[in-house]
Amino acid sequence: MKRLENRVALISGAGGGIGSAMAELFAREGAAVVVNDVAVEAAEAVCARIRGHGGRAMAAVADISSAADVDRMFQAVERECGAVNVLVNNAIWSTGDTTIIEEDDAVFDKTIAVCLKGPYLCTKRAIGSMRKSGGGSIVTISSVNALLGVGETAYTAAKGGLIAMMRLVAAEYGGDNIRSNVICPGTIETENCMNYWKQYPAGYAKLLDMYPLGRIGKPEEVAAYALFLASNEAAFVTGTVCVIDGGLLAGKKFEV
Ligand SMILES: NC(=O)c1ccc[n+]([C@@H]2O[C@H](COP(=O)([O-])OP(=O)(O)OC[C@H]3O[C@@H](n4cnc5c(N)ncnc54)[C@H](O)[C@@H]3O)[C@@H](O)[C@H]2O)c1
């Protein structure tokens, strides 16, 4: 039996990066995967790869910061696939985000809209859908930024807010058999992330040196953690913050 057999899993921002790795893994584990993104071609390409391997996938183009888009997406998913059993809050918009005194107010607002309001809107609709089918699992991708002062004001504020909001969801909807857990990854080797670090080779070497394991993570490693939380193997796991960071928060051995 595959680990997500007979489940419908909606993953926001699954057109690339960690989201597409989760979409492909969840499909291999038997889920019908809803690949949400604002980027149409990226979402379609992920669906095509999943179908090419015999999996089931539906592209759902929607801006998760728009309540109307999120409503339309959930209606289409329920019509075509049935109730949502797994939600992964993964999409982000993050660009030009900086220290608090340098921060542009419009960048702050848009970052919070996608990274915090987006998961709020998707979770709200998903709970309604999950209640129809006896429960479900919500996995929210936060970041080590929520646990450590490493930069990006609005992104960090959103990621910290997600930990508090999604813990509350666990407390308030456990009685509906809905689990809610948060994953905080360290730096992960996605295309966007590597395009950034290619511009700063010396900074990248310093970054690697912060990790006890001497490397950053892979999208597939975060996907494996999300799969565990989404599946029945984690049936007694809710309200947790799961760190996957190669030891970053543990710190490095002190040498005199
Ligand atoms: N990559 C890392 O180093 C890293 C580290 C810690 C946490 N994370 C977290 O992991 C998750 C995935 O990160 P990633 O690096 O794969 O991101 P990414 O930038 O590669 O992908 C994000 C996706 O979200 C989509 N998106 C943007 N705005 C959207 C919107 N309004 N509605 C729907 N989709 C939208 C983008 O088109 C893109 O496909 C994020 O929550 C991120 O904060 C990533």
Side-chain angles (χ1 to χ4, degrees), residues 165-242:
M165 181 170 74
M166 299 315 294
R167 183 192 292 126
L168 186 59
V169 167
E172 292 183 331
Y173 296 95
D176 292 303
N177 196 30
I178 294 171
R179 297 183 292 107
S180 168
N181 292 289
V182 171
I183 297 179
C184 290
T187 316
I188 304 298
E189 201 180 312
T190 58
E191 198 180 329
N192 286 346
C193 178
M194 293 320 289
N195 285 342
Y196 172 81
W197 284 110
K198 270 181 204 149
Q199 305 168 72
Y200 308 104
Y204 185 62
K206 280 192 222 163
L207 177 79
L208 293 186
D209 195 46
M210 290 168 71
Y211 283 84
L213 291 183
R215 67 171 180 90
I216 59 173
K218 299 182 194 320
E220 294 72 22
E221 291 171 329
V222 180
Y225 214 157
L227 171 64
F228 166 71
L229 292 172
S231 75
N232 275 347
E233 287 164 22
F236 198 51
V237 183
T238 195
T240 62
V241 178
C242 306

Side-chain angles (χ1 to χ4, degrees), residues 12-20 22 36-39 42 62-66 89-93 110 114-115 141-145 155 159 162 183-193 222:
S12 70
I18 298 169
S20 61
M22 293 191 285
N36 158 260
D37 212 289
V38 276
D63 172 356
I64 57 156
S65 67
S66 153
N89 288 312
N90 168 77
I92 46 155
W93 184 86
K110 173 140 189 189
V114 177
C115 301
I141 314 298
S142 175
S143 167
V144 288
N145 282 49
Y155 177 78
K159 294 299 183 181
L162 287 177
I183 297 179
C184 290
T187 316
I188 304 298
E189 201 180 312
T190 58
E191 198 180 329
N192 286 346
C193 178
V222 180

